[in-house]
Amino acid sequence: QAAWCELPSRALLVLTSQRGVQMYESDGSTMVFWHALDVPELPAAHSVFARGIAAAGGRFICVGTSFGAVLVFDIPPKGTNVTLSEVLEQHRDPITDIAAEQGRAPDGAGDLVTADDSGTLCLWSTGEEFTLLGKIPGSGSTCSSVALWNGIVAAGYGNGQIRLWEAGSGRIRAQVSAHARWIYALDLAPLTGKLLSGAEDSFVHVWKLSRNPDTDDIEIQHCHAECVTDTQVCGARFCDPAGDTFAVTGYDLSEILCYGPA
Amino acid sequence: MSARTLPLLFLNLGGEMLYILDQRLRAQSIPGEKARKGERWGGRRARSLFVFAVMNDIITTMFNKKFMEELFKPQDLYSKKALRTVYDRLAHASIMRLNQASMDKLYDLMTMAFKYQVLLCPRPRDILLVTFNHLDAIKDFISDSPGILNQVDETFRRLIETYNCLSDGEFQLIRQTLLVFFQDMHIRVSIFLKDKVQNSNGHFVLPISGPVPWGTEVPGLIRIFNHKGVEVKRAEFTTAGNYVTPQREGSFELYGDRVLKLGTNMYSVTRPVETHTSGSSKNLASQAKENIAPNPLAKEELNFLARLLGGLDIQKPAGGETGFRLNLFTTDEEEEHAAQSRPEELSYKVINIEATQEPARRAELSRILGELDVAEPRPGSAEKGEDLLALMDGL
């Protein structure tokens, strides 16, 4: 996987693989840091890899592993002195995705969510020491991707469903039969609360999340659908913070497709 | 990447190979010298005896106990070249002989067929149903041979034991490992083109209609809950897709209705299968990079498994006159032409390596070879071929 991690002081390019984690300066010029995973001599039945990347708490980069552990790296404002600050061990299955709060979290809600193969979600509050605020158990389907906005957890599942959870209470607030196949990617546009979902069924959907601060009603509406003919969508990302444009990648596709307003 | 992918890759590709060989063996009359001999005592009977012998030998080799044990050990996938060599050896585990061009075509068909099946699997774990479909068909091919049937059932049980308990996430990883292996392969197969399952650019058609996978709901419904967990609103959205609920789930037991059609035999005697290797393909560049770059690890990769099969292999007959030559094309001229006109980028560059390795490996290899117990003694293909014909002469 590859992800840009934007922190107040710097932006780093983080790559995960079967060997471990690598961090590069945003222009790709130097490798700032690399963390090797414990790879056994001979291949074991259980795969070893790092997966799930997010910048959190203004100074950390969190990376998930196939062991279920989440590595928390403390990033200095400059230089290569990256240290492993903490290892969070609440998941028992391989981590699939990690997301940090991109809006404003209501009181009591965490600012980080981690997801795993079993569909279990963990909510955390970041800091010198990360605290587990809540756990949402899985219900048989892998949670392949997550996003967190204004205390709403948006989760995409292997059975094509999107679910919205309230971060503070851990309660389910919406259930969408969104796709006919495995959801590969979710992305969020923080300015508007637009949610992008891409799946193996060739479809990309744009949704609108909303949260009423008085009534605490959480809603999701369908805005737009695109069908990328004969392509299993593997990646989907908004290209601007308002979510007016987005880019899509797919299996066996050597192009990046960009969609925008007509 | 998953270290549990190789058994599934090997068994499914092997299954496809058997479908194609079975179809070609039945469709093709015995060529040359052997044909004249064969015609003496009734072509049809001789032909089915040959088909049976060839299929029997290949299946026996494929499901060899030691081989299966090695196959099921957690390991990385082989490179395309290394895997191709394994099938080269497997295809020659009988009196049948294939020219380079026919072997290339066979491998193209096998790989594109399985790539299609992996891509269209509704759920990641349905790859297991595809594998079971192949095994069910293999059992059908050798239904009269209890010995080999036992071997296949053993492998079946092993599959169930190893894979039935894996999670969706682990299956998705296996699926991704397979898709990476097949990435950028866009060889056009005429049976796929005719059935509108593949586009003229080599990409497969992904339908946006039909039953949704088991466990998935038909897209369209939005349900909103309040903070007490009570459903307060429902909304619907529409898309171009046209999905329906599935009837039932396929069986993951030793016997059962798999429901899924992927992995069943799509060839019949009357439909010759052609591949098109010429023509434009914008992906040729990436293919070229893959096949032409020298692979320094090739020797390491052609490890134990290929040599294991090589140990069961019959000595290559001198002069190549003996043995039964199978042509995957409709005429010899076509085969010759295909061999000459195959684009450089698509050549598999099969590596033939003598088993000369470091002492440790050689010792291991010799030990295993020494322990290998093949059902029937194999003095050499020449004698085997002659034996069979002599048998027929006596009929």
Side-chain angles (χ1 to χ4, degrees), chain B residues 215-282:
Chain B
T216 295
E217 282 164 15
V218 173
L221 186 63
I222 302 173
R223 297 165 70 194
I224 307 284
F225 304 91
N226 66 14
H227 61 276
K228 291 204 191 101
V230 177
E231 185 181 314
V232 292
K233 190 172 166 185
R234 279 202 174 196
E236 282 188 19
F237 67 94
T238 51
T239 60
N242 185 12
Y243 296 102
V244 293
T245 10
Q247 294 271 327
R248 57 191 191 283
E249 194 184 8
S251 162
F252 286 87
E253 309 292 315
L254 194 57
Y255 301 99
D257 179 9
R258 311 294 172 200
V259 180
L260 197 64
K261 292 285 161 261
L262 295 170
T264 54
N265 196 344
M266 61 179 158
Y267 306 103
S268 68
V269 189
T270 51
R271 295 182 84 180
V273 192
E274 291 137 38
T275 52
H276 302 267
T277 50
S278 58
S280 68
S281 168
K282 58 189 169 188

Coordinates of all heavy atoms in Angstrom, one line a residue, chain B residues 215-282:
Chain B
G215 N -24.6 -14.0 0.6 CA -24.2 -13.2 1.7 C -24.2 -11.7 1.4 O -24.0 -10.9 2.3
T216 N -24.4 -11.4 0.2 CA -24.5 -10.0 -0.2 C -25.9 -9.7 -0.6 O -26.7 -10.5 -1.1 CB -23.6 -9.8 -1.5 OG1 -22.3 -10.0 -1.2 CG2 -23.7 -8.3 -2.0
E217 N -26.3 -8.4 -0.3 CA -27.7 -8.0 -0.6 C -27.7 -7.3 -2.0 O -26.7 -6.7 -2.4 CB -28.2 -7.0 0.4 CG -28.7 -7.8 1.7 CD -28.8 -6.8 2.8 OE1 -28.9 -5.6 2.6 OE2 -28.9 -7.3 4.0
V218 N -28.8 -7.4 -2.7 CA -28.9 -6.6 -3.9 C -28.8 -5.1 -3.6 O -29.5 -4.6 -2.7 CB -30.3 -6.9 -4.6 CG1 -30.5 -6.0 -5.8 CG2 -30.4 -8.4 -5.0
P219 N -27.9 -4.4 -4.3 CA -27.7 -3.0 -4.0 C -28.9 -2.2 -4.2 O -29.7 -2.5 -5.1 CB -26.6 -2.6 -5.0 CG -25.9 -3.8 -5.4 CD -27.0 -4.9 -5.4
G220 N -29.1 -1.2 -3.4 CA -30.2 -0.2 -3.6 C -30.8 0.3 -2.4 O -31.5 1.3 -2.4
L221 N -30.6 -0.4 -1.2 CA -31.4 0.0 0.0 C -30.5 0.8 1.0 O -29.4 0.4 1.3 CB -32.0 -1.2 0.7 CG -32.9 -1.0 1.8 CD1 -34.1 -0.2 1.4 CD2 -33.3 -2.3 2.5
I222 N -31.1 1.9 1.5 CA -30.4 2.6 2.6 C -31.3 2.6 3.8 O -32.5 2.9 3.7 CB -30.2 4.1 2.2 CG1 -29.3 4.2 0.9 CG2 -29.5 4.9 3.3 CD1 -29.2 5.6 0.4
R223 N -30.8 2.1 4.9 CA -31.6 2.1 6.2 C -30.9 3.0 7.2 O -29.7 2.9 7.5 CB -31.7 0.7 6.7 CG -32.4 -0.3 5.8 CD -32.1 -1.7 6.2 NE -32.8 -2.1 7.4 CZ -32.5 -3.1 8.2 NH1 -31.6 -4.0 7.8 NH2 -33.1 -3.4 9.3
I224 N -31.7 3.9 7.8 CA -31.2 4.8 8.8 C -31.8 4.4 10.2 O -33.0 4.1 10.3 CB -31.7 6.3 8.5 CG1 -31.3 6.6 7.0 CG2 -31.1 7.3 9.4 CD1 -29.8 6.9 6.8
F225 N -30.9 4.5 11.2 CA -31.3 4.1 12.5 C -31.1 5.3 13.4 O -30.2 6.1 13.2 CB -30.5 3.0 13.1 CG -30.5 1.7 12.2 CD1 -29.6 1.5 11.2 CD2 -31.5 0.8 12.4 CE1 -29.6 0.4 10.4 CE2 -31.5 -0.4 11.6 CZ -30.6 -0.5 10.6
N226 N -31.9 5.4 14.5 CA -31.7 6.5 15.4 C -30.7 6.1 16.5 O -30.2 4.9 16.5 CB -33.0 7.0 16.0 CG -33.7 6.0 16.9 OD1 -33.1 5.0 17.3 ND2 -34.9 6.2 17.3
H227 N -30.4 7.0 17.5 CA -29.4 6.6 18.5 C -29.8 5.5 19.4 O -29.0 5.0 20.2 CB -29.0 7.9 19.3 CG -30.2 8.4 20.1 ND1 -31.1 9.3 19.5 CD2 -30.6 8.3 21.3 CE1 -32.0 9.6 20.4 NE2 -31.7 9.0 21.5
K228 N -31.1 5.1 19.3 CA -31.5 4.0 20.1 C -31.4 2.7 19.3 O -31.8 1.6 19.9 CB -33.0 4.2 20.6 CG -33.1 5.3 21.6 CD -34.4 5.1 22.5 CE -34.6 6.4 23.3 NZ -35.7 7.2 22.7
G229 N -31.0 2.8 18.1 CA -30.9 1.6 17.3 C -32.2 1.2 16.6 O -32.3 0.1 16.0
V230 N -33.2 2.1 16.6 CA -34.4 1.8 15.9 C -34.4 2.3 14.5 O -34.0 3.5 14.2 CB -35.6 2.4 16.7 CG1 -36.9 2.2 16.0 CG2 -35.6 1.9 18.1
E231 N -34.9 1.5 13.5 CA -34.9 2.0 12.1 C -35.9 3.1 12.0 O -37.1 2.9 12.3 CB -35.2 0.8 11.2 CG -35.1 1.2 9.7 CD -35.4 0.1 8.8 OE1 -34.8 -1.0 9.0 OE2 -36.2 0.3 7.8
V232 N -35.5 4.2 11.5 CA -36.4 5.3 11.3 C -36.7 5.7 9.9 O -37.6 6.5 9.6 CB -36.0 6.6 12.1 CG1 -36.1 6.3 13.6 CG2 -34.6 7.0 11.8
K233 N -35.9 5.3 9.0 CA -36.1 5.7 7.6 C -35.5 4.7 6.6 O -34.5 4.0 6.9 CB -35.3 7.1 7.4 CG -35.6 7.8 6.2 CD -35.0 9.2 6.2 CE -34.9 9.8 4.8 NZ -34.2 11.1 4.8
R234 N -36.1 4.7 5.5 CA -35.6 3.8 4.4 C -35.6 4.6 3.1 O -36.5 5.4 2.8 CB -36.6 2.6 4.1 CG -36.4 1.5 5.1 CD -36.9 0.2 4.6 NE -36.5 -0.8 5.5 CZ -36.5 -2.1 5.2 NH1 -36.8 -2.5 4.1 NH2 -36.1 -3.0 6.1
A235 N -34.5 4.4 2.3 CA -34.5 5.1 1.1 C -33.9 4.2 0.0 O -33.2 3.2 0.4 CB -33.6 6.4 1.2
E236 N -34.1 4.5 -1.2 CA -33.6 3.6 -2.3 C -32.8 4.4 -3.3 O -33.1 5.6 -3.5 CB -34.7 2.9 -3.0 CG -35.2 1.7 -2.1 CD -36.2 0.8 -2.9 OE1 -36.3 0.9 -4.1 OE2 -36.9 0.1 -2.2
F237 N -31.8 3.8 -3.9 CA -31.1 4.4 -5.0 C -31.0 3.4 -6.1 O -31.1 2.2 -5.9 CB -29.7 4.9 -4.6 CG -28.8 3.8 -4.2 CD1 -27.9 3.3 -5.2 CD2 -28.7 3.2 -2.9 CE1 -27.0 2.3 -4.8 CE2 -27.9 2.2 -2.6 CZ -27.0 1.7 -3.6
T238 N -30.9 3.9 -7.4 CA -30.9 2.9 -8.5 C -29.5 3.1 -9.2 O -28.9 4.2 -9.2 CB -32.0 3.2 -9.5 OG1 -32.0 4.6 -9.8 CG2 -33.3 2.7 -8.9
T239 N -29.1 2.0 -9.9 CA -27.9 2.1 -10.7 C -28.2 1.3 -12.0 O -29.2 0.7 -12.1 CB -26.7 1.4 -10.0 OG1 -27.0 0.1 -9.8 CG2 -26.3 2.1 -8.7
A240 N -27.2 1.3 -12.9 CA -27.3 0.6 -14.1 C -27.3 -0.9 -13.9 O -27.7 -1.7 -14.8 CB -26.1 1.0 -15.0
G241 N -26.9 -1.4 -12.8 CA -26.8 -2.8 -12.5 C -28.2 -3.4 -12.4 O -29.1 -2.8 -12.1
N242 N -28.2 -4.7 -12.7 CA -29.5 -5.4 -12.6 C -29.3 -6.8 -11.9 O -29.2 -7.8 -12.5 CB -30.0 -5.7 -14.1 CG -31.3 -6.3 -14.1 OD1 -32.0 -6.4 -13.1 ND2 -31.7 -6.8 -15.3
Y243 N -29.2 -6.7 -10.6 CA -28.9 -7.9 -9.8 C -30.1 -8.5 -9.2 O -31.2 -7.9 -9.0 CB -28.0 -7.5 -8.6 CG -26.6 -6.9 -9.1 CD1 -26.3 -5.6 -9.2 CD2 -25.6 -7.8 -9.6 CE1 -25.1 -5.1 -9.6 CE2 -24.4 -7.4 -10.0 CZ -24.2 -6.0 -10.0 OH -22.9 -5.6 -10.5
V244 N -30.0 -9.8 -8.9 CA -31.0 -10.6 -8.2 C -30.5 -11.4 -7.0 O -29.2 -11.5 -7.0 CB -31.7 -11.6 -9.2 CG1 -32.5 -10.8 -10.3 CG2 -30.7 -12.5 -9.8
T245 N -31.3 -11.8 -6.2 CA -30.9 -12.7 -5.0 C -30.5 -14.0 -5.5 O -31.2 -14.6 -6.4 CB -32.0 -12.8 -3.9 OG1 -33.2 -12.3 -4.5 CG2 -31.6 -12.1 -2.7
P246 N -29.5 -14.6 -4.9 CA -29.0 -16.0 -5.4 C -30.0 -17.0 -4.8 O -30.6 -16.8 -3.8 CB -27.6 -16.1 -4.8 CG -27.6 -15.2 -3.6 CD -28.6 -14.1 -3.9
Q247 N -30.0 -18.2 -5.5 CA -31.0 -19.3 -5.1 C -30.5 -20.0 -3.9 O -31.2 -20.1 -2.9 CB -31.1 -20.3 -6.3 CG -31.7 -19.7 -7.5 CD -33.2 -19.9 -7.5 OE1 -33.7 -20.9 -6.9 NE2 -34.0 -19.0 -8.1
R248 N -29.2 -20.5 -4.0 CA -28.7 -21.2 -2.8 C -27.1 -21.2 -2.9 O -26.6 -20.8 -3.9 CB -29.2 -22.7 -2.8 CG -28.8 -23.4 -4.1 CD -29.5 -24.7 -4.2 NE -29.0 -25.5 -5.3 CZ -29.3 -25.3 -6.6 NH1 -30.1 -24.3 -6.9 NH2 -28.7 -26.1 -7.5
E249 N -26.5 -21.6 -1.8 CA -25.1 -21.6 -1.7 C -24.5 -22.9 -2.2 O -25.1 -24.0 -2.1 CB -24.6 -21.4 -0.3 CG -23.2 -21.1 -0.1 CD -22.7 -21.0 1.3 OE1 -23.5 -21.3 2.2 OE2 -21.6 -20.5 1.6
G250 N -23.4 -22.9 -2.8 CA -22.7 -24.1 -3.3 C -22.2 -24.9 -2.2 O -22.0 -24.4 -1.1
S251 N -22.0 -26.2 -2.4 CA -21.5 -27.1 -1.4 C -20.0 -27.2 -1.3 O -19.3 -27.2 -2.3 CB -22.1 -28.5 -1.6 OG -21.3 -29.5 -0.9
F252 N -19.5 -27.1 0.0 CA -18.1 -27.2 0.2 C -17.7 -28.6 0.7 O -16.6 -28.8 1.2 CB -17.6 -26.1 1.2 CG -17.6 -24.7 0.6 CD1 -18.8 -24.0 0.6 CD2 -16.5 -24.2 0.0 CE1 -18.8 -22.7 0.0 CE2 -16.4 -22.9 -0.5 CZ -17.6 -22.2 -0.5
E253 N -18.6 -29.5 0.6 CA -18.3 -30.9 1.1 C -17.6 -31.7 0.0 O -17.5 -31.2 -1.2 CB -19.6 -31.6 1.5 CG -20.4 -30.8 2.4 CD -19.8 -30.6 3.8 OE1 -19.3 -31.7 4.3 OE2 -19.8 -29.5 4.3
L254 N -17.3 -32.9 0.3 CA -16.6 -33.8 -0.7 C -17.5 -34.0 -1.9 O -17.1 -34.1 -3.0 CB -16.3 -35.1 0.0 CG -15.3 -36.1 -0.7 CD1 -14.0 -35.3 -1.0 CD2 -15.0 -37.3 0.1
Y255 N -18.8 -34.2 -1.6 CA -19.8 -34.4 -2.7 C -20.9 -33.3 -2.5 O -21.2 -33.0 -1.4 CB -20.4 -35.8 -2.6 CG -19.5 -36.9 -2.8 CD1 -19.0 -37.6 -1.6 CD2 -19.0 -37.3 -4.0 CE1 -18.1 -38.6 -1.7 CE2 -18.1 -38.3 -4.1 CZ -17.6 -39.0 -2.9 OH -16.7 -40.0 -3.0
G256 N -21.4 -32.8 -3.6 CA -22.5 -31.8 -3.5 C -22.6 -31.0 -4.7 O -21.7 -31.0 -5.6
D257 N -23.7 -30.3 -4.8 CA -23.9 -29.4 -5.9 C -23.2 -28.1 -5.7 O -23.4 -27.4 -4.7 CB -25.4 -29.1 -6.0 CG -25.8 -28.1 -7.1 OD1 -24.9 -27.8 -8.0 OD2 -27.0 -27.7 -7.2
R258 N -22.2 -27.8 -6.6 CA -21.4 -26.6 -6.4 C -22.1 -25.3 -6.7 O -21.7 -24.2 -6.4 CB -20.1 -26.7 -7.2 CG -19.4 -28.0 -7.1 CD -18.8 -28.3 -5.7 NE -18.3 -29.6 -5.5 CZ -18.1 -30.2 -4.4 NH1 -18.4 -29.6 -3.3 NH2 -17.6 -31.5 -4.4
V259 N -23.2 -25.4 -7.5 CA -24.1 -24.3 -7.9 C -23.3 -23.4 -8.9 O -23.8 -23.1 -10.0 CB -24.6 -23.4 -6.8 CG1 -25.4 -22.3 -7.3 CG2 -25.4 -24.3 -5.8
L260 N -22.1 -23.0 -8.6 CA -21.3 -22.2 -9.5 C -20.8 -22.9 -10.7 O -20.4 -24.1 -10.6 CB -20.0 -21.7 -8.7 CG -19.2 -20.6 -9.2 CD1 -20.1 -19.3 -9.1 CD2 -18.0 -20.4 -8.3
K261 N -20.9 -22.3 -11.9 CA -20.6 -23.0 -13.1 C -19.1 -22.8 -13.5 O -18.6 -23.5 -14.3 CB -21.4 -22.5 -14.3 CG -22.9 -22.9 -14.2 CD -23.1 -24.4 -14.5 CE -24.4 -24.9 -13.9 NZ -24.2 -25.6 -12.7
L262 N -18.5 -21.8 -12.8 CA -17.1 -21.5 -13.1 C -16.2 -22.7 -12.7 O -16.3 -23.2 -11.6 CB -16.6 -20.3 -12.4 CG -17.2 -19.0 -12.7 CD1 -16.8 -17.9 -11.7 CD2 -16.8 -18.5 -14.1
G263 N -15.3 -23.2 -13.7 CA -14.5 -24.3 -13.4 C -15.0 -25.6 -13.9 O -14.4 -26.7 -13.9
T264 N -16.2 -25.6 -14.5 CA -16.8 -26.8 -15.2 C -16.2 -26.8 -16.6 O -15.8 -25.8 -17.1 CB -18.3 -26.8 -15.2 OG1 -18.8 -25.6 -15.7 CG2 -18.8 -27.0 -13.8
N265 N -16.4 -27.9 -17.3 CA -15.8 -28.1 -18.6 C -16.6 -27.3 -19.7 O -17.7 -27.6 -19.9 CB -15.7 -29.6 -19.0 CG -14.8 -29.9 -20.1 OD1 -14.4 -29.0 -20.9 ND2 -14.4 -31.1 -20.3
M266 N -15.9 -26.3 -20.2 CA -16.6 -25.5 -21.2 C -16.3 -26.0 -22.7 O -16.8 -25.4 -23.6 CB -16.3 -24.1 -21.1 CG -14.9 -23.8 -21.3 SD -14.5 -22.0 -21.1 CE -12.8 -22.1 -20.7
Y267 N -15.4 -26.9 -22.8 CA -15.1 -27.4 -24.1 C -15.9 -28.6 -24.5 O -16.2 -29.5 -23.7 CB -13.6 -27.8 -24.2 CG -12.7 -26.7 -23.7 CD1 -12.1 -26.8 -22.4 CD2 -12.3 -25.7 -24.5 CE1 -11.2 -25.8 -21.9 CE2 -11.5 -24.7 -24.0 CZ -10.9 -24.8 -22.8 OH -10.1 -23.8 -22.3
S268 N -16.2 -28.7 -25.8 CA -16.8 -30.0 -26.2 C -16.1 -30.4 -27.5 O -15.4 -29.6 -28.1 CB -18.3 -29.8 -26.5 OG -18.5 -28.9 -27.6
V269 N -16.3 -31.6 -28.0 CA -15.5 -32.1 -29.1 C -15.6 -31.3 -30.3 O -14.7 -31.1 -31.1 CB -15.9 -33.6 -29.4 CG1 -14.9 -34.1 -30.4 CG2 -15.8 -34.4 -28.1
T270 N -16.8 -30.7 -30.5 CA -17.1 -30.0 -31.8 C -16.7 -28.5 -31.8 O -16.8 -27.9 -32.8 CB -18.6 -30.0 -32.1 OG1 -19.3 -29.6 -30.9 CG2 -19.0 -31.5 -32.4
R271 N -16.2 -28.0 -30.6 CA -15.8 -26.6 -30.6 C -14.3 -26.5 -30.5 O -13.7 -26.5 -29.5 CB -16.4 -25.9 -29.5 CG -17.9 -25.8 -29.6 CD -18.5 -25.0 -28.4 NE -18.4 -23.6 -28.7 CZ -18.9 -22.7 -27.8 NH1 -19.3 -23.0 -26.6 NH2 -18.8 -21.4 -28.1
P272 N -13.6 -26.3 -31.7 CA -12.1 -26.2 -31.6 C -11.8 -24.9 -30.9 O -12.5 -23.9 -31.1 CB -11.7 -26.2 -33.1 CG -12.9 -25.8 -33.8 CD -14.1 -26.2 -33.0
V273 N -10.7 -24.9 -30.1 CA -10.4 -23.7 -29.4 C -9.1 -23.1 -30.0 O -8.1 -23.7 -30.1 CB -10.1 -24.0 -27.9 CG1 -10.1 -22.7 -27.1 CG2 -11.3 -24.9 -27.4
E274 N -9.2 -21.8 -30.4 CA -8.0 -21.1 -30.9 C -7.6 -20.0 -30.0 O -8.5 -19.4 -29.4 CB -8.3 -20.6 -32.3 CG -8.5 -21.7 -33.4 CD -9.7 -21.3 -34.2 OE1 -9.9 -20.1 -34.5 OE2 -10.5 -22.2 -34.6
T275 N -6.4 -19.6 -30.1 CA -6.0 -18.4 -29.4 C -5.4 -17.5 -30.5 O -4.9 -17.9 -31.5 CB -4.9 -18.7 -28.4 OG1 -3.8 -19.5 -29.0 CG2 -5.4 -19.5 -27.2
H276 N -5.4 -16.2 -30.2 CA -4.8 -15.2 -31.1 C -3.7 -14.6 -30.4 O -3.9 -13.9 -29.4 CB -5.9 -14.2 -31.5 CG -7.1 -14.7 -32.1 ND1 -7.2 -14.8 -33.5 CD2 -8.2 -15.2 -31.6 CE1 -8.4 -15.4 -33.7 NE2 -9.0 -15.6 -32.6
T277 N -2.5 -14.8 -30.9 CA -1.4 -14.2 -30.2 C -0.8 -13.0 -30.9 O 0.0 -12.2 -30.5 CB -0.2 -15.2 -30.0 OG1 0.1 -15.8 -31.3 CG2 -0.6 -16.3 -29.0
S278 N -1.3 -12.8 -32.2 CA -0.9 -11.6 -32.9 C -1.8 -10.5 -32.7 O -2.8 -10.7 -31.9 CB -0.8 -11.9 -34.4 OG -2.1 -12.4 -34.8
G279 N -1.7 -9.4 -33.3 CA -2.6 -8.3 -33.1 C -2.1 -7.4 -32.0 O -1.3 -7.7 -31.3
S280 N -2.7 -6.2 -32.0 CA -2.2 -5.2 -31.1 C -2.6 -5.4 -29.7 O -3.7 -5.9 -29.4 CB -2.7 -3.8 -31.6 OG -4.1 -3.7 -31.3
S281 N -1.8 -5.1 -28.8 CA -2.1 -5.2 -27.4 C -1.3 -4.1 -26.7 O 0.0 -4.2 -26.7 CB -1.9 -6.6 -26.9 OG -1.9 -6.5 -25.5
K282 N -1.9 -3.1 -26.1 CA -1.1 -2.1 -25.5 C -0.3 -2.6 -24.3 O 0.5 -2.0 -23.7 CB -1.9 -0.9 -25.1 CG -3.1 -1.3 -24.2 CD -4.0 -0.1 -24.0 CE -5.3 -0.6 -23.3 NZ -6.4 0.3 -23.2

